[in-house]
Amino acid sequence: MMELDWLGGKIAGEGVLRLSKKIRDLEDVFEDHAAWTSMDPETLVYSVEWTQPTAQDNEGGLFWGVTVIEPGRVGEEFFMTRGHFHAKRDRGEYYTAVQGTGMLLLMDESRSGRWEQMTPGSLHYIPGHTAHRVVNTGQDPLIFWACWASDAGHDYGTIQREGFSHRVIASEGSPRLVPSTQP
Ligand code: PA5
Ligand code: NI
């Protein structure tokens, strides 16, 4: 059994996996390369904790995890996750936010984009064939839990090459969604 710190975004127990992404790991994720270069490479952008009770390719199994995105910006762009399609494209996922405010960017395979506001208690169903990225548009950490299929896998390459259709930038202090000019 595992124990969750639901609002703190932590999982305690044996076999919990953890990763963190710092500015240095996120080259090419943010549009403003000059701003990215000028930042401390050790700045934490987001961290993930998750459990894998089954093998990664287990059909029918589920994984459970939490992501904490720090508040911050690279140039005008808010801190965000890398974003991905699932390697098995038809696999869906649930996200639910518990702290902070942000935006869930969704994009289908024909690059048609939409977005959902994330606030404490918001529940988001991400259908299959849909890339997903979360942007922290607030002043506090954005914390959300996720549940996804064990055999979904992560395809980061497509987003790395082609980017998302939209980006979220700070415009006079408020988040604004703008079409991407480049991946
Ligand atoms: O499974 C998910 O979609 C999440 O747990 C993400 O992996 C997590 O939010 C980090 O985002 P990314 O994998 O796009 O870096
Ligand atoms: Ni996912």
Side-chain angles (χ1 to χ4, degrees):
M1 198 188 73
M2 312 263 167
E3 295 259 355
L4 305 184
D5 174 353
W6 186 248
L7 298 181
K10 297 213 164 308
I11 310 176
E14 255 177 57
V16 179
L17 299 160
R18 295 185 175 85
L19 66 76
S20 58
K21 294 288 171 198
K22 299 180 175 179
I23 283 291
R24 66 169 147 80
D25 304 314
L26 300 171
E27 188 172 8
D28 301 332
V29 169
F30 297 96
E31 195 160 48
D32 186 341
H33 203 259
W36 178 84
T37 307
S38 71
M39 290 179 72
D40 178 353
E42 294 304 314
T43 306
L44 179 65
V45 179
Y46 64 95
S47 51
V48 188
E49 292 190 352
W50 75 103
T51 70
Q52 293 191 175
T54 65
Q56 295 215 41
D57 57 358
N58 183 278
E59 195 179 336
L62 295 170
F63 291 164
W64 175 258
V66 65
T67 302
V68 180
I69 309 178
E70 301 300 322
R73 274 162 42 183
V74 178
E76 290 192 312
E77 204 167 11
F78 293 103
F79 280 7
M80 61 187 177
T81 59
R82 281 188 293 172
H84 57 272
F85 282 99
H86 289 149
K88 277 204 177 167
R89 284 289 194 273
D90 65 351
R91 297 315 198 236
E93 182 160 5
Y94 273 111
Y95 279 1
T96 183
V98 293
Q99 296 274 19
T101 51
M103 239 184 241
L104 170 61
L105 294 186
L106 299 163
M107 182 180 75
D108 70 19
E109 289 174 293
S110 52
R111 299 189 56 75
S112 172
R114 59 193 179 88
W115 47 92
E116 293 180 3
Q117 209 67 46
M118 297 179 85
T119 53
S122 62
L123 176 67
H124 309 270
Y125 178 63
I126 301 161
H129 301 274
T130 306
H132 38 292
R133 161 179 281 170
V134 176
V135 185
N136 183 353
T137 57
Q139 316 267 321
D140 303 306
L142 171 60
I143 303 178
F144 64 94
W145 292 87
C147 186
W148 67 101
S150 309
D151 63 350
H154 294 83
D155 167 13
Y156 292 106
T158 303
I159 296 301
Q160 214 168 350
R161 281 192 307 277
E162 300 169 13
F164 262 75
S165 55
H166 290 77
R167 292 180 176 274
V168 185
I169 61 164
S171 164
E172 291 168 1
S174 307
R176 187 156 60 96
L177 205 72
V178 294
S180 292
T181 52
Q182 61 179 68

